[in-house]
Amino acid sequence: MPKIKFISFYVKNKLTYLIAILLLFITFKYSIAYKSSYIELVNIFIYLFFPALFPTIFLTNLISCSISFDKIKNKFILKVITISLCLIGGSLTTINIAKKIKFKCLKDKELFLINLSGGSLSYYFLVFSFYNQFKPWLLTAIIFLAKLIISLIILNDFSFIPSINNRNYIFESLNTSFNSLYNMLKSLALITLIIPFFKLISNQYLSNVILGFIEFTRAGLRLAQIGNILSLFLLVFIVDFNGLTTLIQIKMSHSNVRQYLYIIYKLPLNLFISSLLIIFAF
């Protein structure tokens, strides 16, 4: 049995090295295309994502650190505050807050992460601002209220793990926020390796939707720049799904979460939210 495990470990490592070598070869072979992709990534992250996402993530983390949630006795008020913070901060905040919650069972945790993972309100407002025919704040408010009501109905009551007093809330919030953005940047850098291949797909809707299922931030931005109703529907669909990179981050922080359930439950929910937004936007 140990020999079989060793062989399995050896094969996995060999496969990892082969994939890494292949990616390096492709990167050097098409260096000009990758150079432009990484320059685009740096510009988007510095000028759009960081100023749009960091304040929101930091503030929601600061609030979640400084409030003693375990002292709130009213279950409904606790749910409203918690859900609101998760929706404002998006997936990165949701993943962090879920670590502080005592769920009654695994399914409750999975439903929590499935319902509340998605783009932050600041990201939604950013991409909605490309649509001149709609008010960005109105579209953002529709997303927030729809997900809040759905989550209040679907999610079971939960309680928080007792908080530790005398913590440096600001330092803890800054540390958590920077780590979250750093993990997101690593995911973006990794996805950039396959970005040039999507340029081979001539249909801009199809290429951005496929990219969005892997990583939503750049795909969402590109769909928003199209600026029509179809792009708006697809934009909300992929941003609320939040990409496989978010699913990987969830799995890293909550190892017992079943990934297939996330995909099975999340896709119909995304379809419903996207359709609801289009209906109310008119």
Side-chain angles (χ1 to χ4, degrees), residues 1-273:
M1 193 71 177
K3 189 175 180 180
I4 294 173
K5 285 184 178 179
F6 173 77
I7 292 170
S8 176
F9 176 78
Y10 178 79
V11 170
K12 284 180 181 177
N13 274 272
K14 283 290 184 183
L15 184 61
T16 303
Y17 292 139
L18 285 172
I19 293 171
I21 291 168
L22 178 63
L23 288 173
L24 281 172
F25 172 76
I26 294 170
T27 304
F28 283 115
K29 179 74 175 174
Y30 303 98
S31 57
I32 296 174
Y34 280 108
K35 182 180 177 181
S36 63
S37 294
Y38 277 108
I39 290 172
E40 181 190 15
L41 168 62
V42 171
N43 288 330
I44 289 173
F45 188 82
I46 292 174
Y47 297 110
L48 286 176
F49 293 154
F50 188 83
L53 297 178
F54 181 76
T56 305
I57 294 169
F58 172 69
L59 286 173
T60 50
N61 281 329
L62 182 61
I63 293 169
S64 66
C65 287
S66 57
I67 293 178
S68 298
F69 287 96
D70 54 299
K71 302 290 194 300
I72 301 175
K73 302 302 179 185
N74 189 302
K75 296 292 185 183
F76 180 75
I77 293 175
L78 179 64
K79 278 178 74 173
V80 170
I81 294 172
T82 306
I83 291 168
S84 298
L85 281 174
C86 290
L87 293 178
I88 292 168
S91 293
L92 299 178
T93 301
T94 301
I95 292 168
N96 290 326
I97 288 180
K99 295 176 185 176
K100 305 173 184 179
I101 295 177
K102 284 194 295 186
F103 294 99
K104 293 177 182 176
C105 61
L106 175 60
K107 188 177 179 181
D108 284 355
K109 179 196 275 192
E110 290 170 334
L111 285 174
F112 184 90
L113 291 165
I114 289 167
N115 278 275
L116 300 178
S117 62
S120 67
L121 291 192
S122 56
Y123 179 82
Y124 272 118
F125 188 86
L126 171 69
V127 291
F128 287 156
S129 63
F130 284 89
Y131 293 88
N132 297 322
Q133 64 270 49
F134 301 111
K135 294 181 174 65
W137 65 266
L138 179 60
L139 297 180
T140 307
I142 292 171
I143 292 287
F144 175 78
L145 291 173
K147 294 194 72 173
L148 176 64
I149 293 168
I150 291 168
S151 298
L152 286 172
I153 295 169
I154 292 176
L155 300 183
N156 293 322
D157 290 340
F158 48 79
S159 59
F160 274 75
I161 299 166
S163 57
I164 301 169
N165 295 323
N166 302 319
R167 292 179 298 164
N168 189 327
Y169 299 129
I170 295 177
F171 176 77
E172 185 179 336
S173 303
L174 281 171
N175 185 52
T176 304
S177 302
F178 277 120
N179 282 336
S180 298
L181 286 174
Y182 175 64
N183 289 332
M184 187 186 84
L185 183 59
K186 285 194 297 184
S187 300
L188 286 170
L190 184 63
I191 296 304
T192 300
L193 288 170
I194 60 172
I195 288 283
F197 293 102
F198 287 96
K199 294 178 180 178
L200 299 174
I201 303 174
S202 57
N203 188 302
Q204 58 185 341
Y205 296 107
L206 180 60
S207 64
N208 285 313
V209 167
I210 295 172
L211 176 60
F213 274 113
I214 300 170
E215 200 287 314
F216 76 95
T217 49
R218 273 200 279 185
L221 195 59
R222 290 178 179 186
L223 282 169
Q225 290 170 339
I226 298 173
N228 59 24
I229 299 301
L230 177 58
S231 73
L232 179 63
F233 177 85
L234 295 173
L235 163 67
V236 176
F237 186 84
I238 65 166
V239 172
D240 197 51
F241 179 74
N242 231 226
L244 295 178
T245 50
T246 296
L247 183 54
I248 291 169
Q249 290 181 52
I250 289 173
K251 190 68 177 175
M252 288 169 63
S253 299
H254 304 275
S255 58
N256 56 347
V257 170
R258 292 166 289 185
Q259 293 169 302
Y260 69 91
L261 282 181
Y262 181 93
I263 297 171
I264 291 171
Y265 282 107
K266 192 70 172 166
L267 290 176
L269 181 63
N270 299 153
L271 186 62
F272 178 74
I273 294 291

